[in-house]
Amino acid sequence: MAEVNLQRLQEVFEHLKESMGAGLLSADIFDKQNLVSLIGFNSNPVACALFGKIYYFINEAAQEAGFPPMNRYYLIDLKGDKAVVVVDLHENYLLGMLIDLTKVQIGVLLSVVIPRIIKDFNERVVS
C-alpha cells in the first residue's frame, strides 16, 4: 500500500474544506482495504464502512453486467437537498462527503473540486 504523507494529507484535506465551505457537512478520506478513516471532518466511521462497501458493490455489479468499472465518483441524491459523494482518490483510498446542495454548486463540485482533490492527493500525499 502506498505511504501517506500525513502533513500533506492534512494540507490537502484543509484545502478541500476551504473549497467546499459551508456546503461540506462531513468528509472522510479512508482506505479501501479496511474502510477506516485516515482524516475526517465531522467524521462518520459507519458511513466510511457502508459507502466503501457500496463502492465495491457498484464495481462488481458493473463487471457482472459487462460495464466498465466506476471512474472517479458516485453520487447519491438524498432528501433535504443533501448528497453523498464518494470519490475514488487512488487505488488504495476513497473520499466520502456529505454535502448540502443549497450551498454547493454541483457543477463546480464535479468539474473543479473532485478533479483537483484527486490530482492533489496523488501528487502530494501518496508516494
Side-chain angles (χ1 to χ4, degrees):
M1 185 177 284
E3 288 210 24
V4 172
N5 180 314
L6 296 177
Q7 179 180 347
R8 289 185 179 165
L9 174 64
Q10 181 70 39
E11 292 167 4
V12 167
F13 196 74
E14 289 301 319
H15 188 257
L16 170 69
K17 287 170 42 182
E18 290 170 15
S19 297
M20 298 290 292
L24 185 65
L25 302 176
S26 175
D28 285 279
I29 293 177
F30 54 102
D31 76 63
K32 290 179 182 176
Q33 186 173 14
N34 63 24
L35 306 177
V36 173
S37 180
L38 301 175
I39 191 169
F41 166 69
N42 293 331
S43 191
N44 188 332
V46 173
C48 293
L50 293 174
F51 291 116
K53 289 179 182 179
I54 291 170
Y55 165 83
Y56 284 110
F57 178 79
I58 288 170
N59 281 304
E60 289 171 13
Q63 181 180 11
E64 288 178 18
F67 294 172
M70 188 178 87
N71 188 23
R72 295 179 297 168
Y73 61 87
Y74 70 85
L75 185 144
I76 302 172
D77 186 29
L78 303 172
K79 291 188 181 215
D81 292 318
K82 306 294 187 284
V84 167
V85 181
V86 176
V87 179
D88 194 353
L89 284 178
H90 176 273
E91 65 187 53
N92 297 318
Y93 302 99
L94 296 169
L95 163 65
M97 298 181 284
L98 176 63
I99 60 173
D100 183 336
L101 294 171
T102 66
K103 297 178 181 173
V104 172
Q105 293 180 340
I106 197 75
V108 172
L109 173 69
L110 300 180
S111 64
V112 177
V113 176
I114 288 175
R116 185 183 312 140
I117 185 93
I118 292 170
K119 181 178 183 281
D120 287 350
F121 186 84
N122 283 279
E123 289 180 356
R124 300 185 64 217
V125 177
V126 291
S127 58

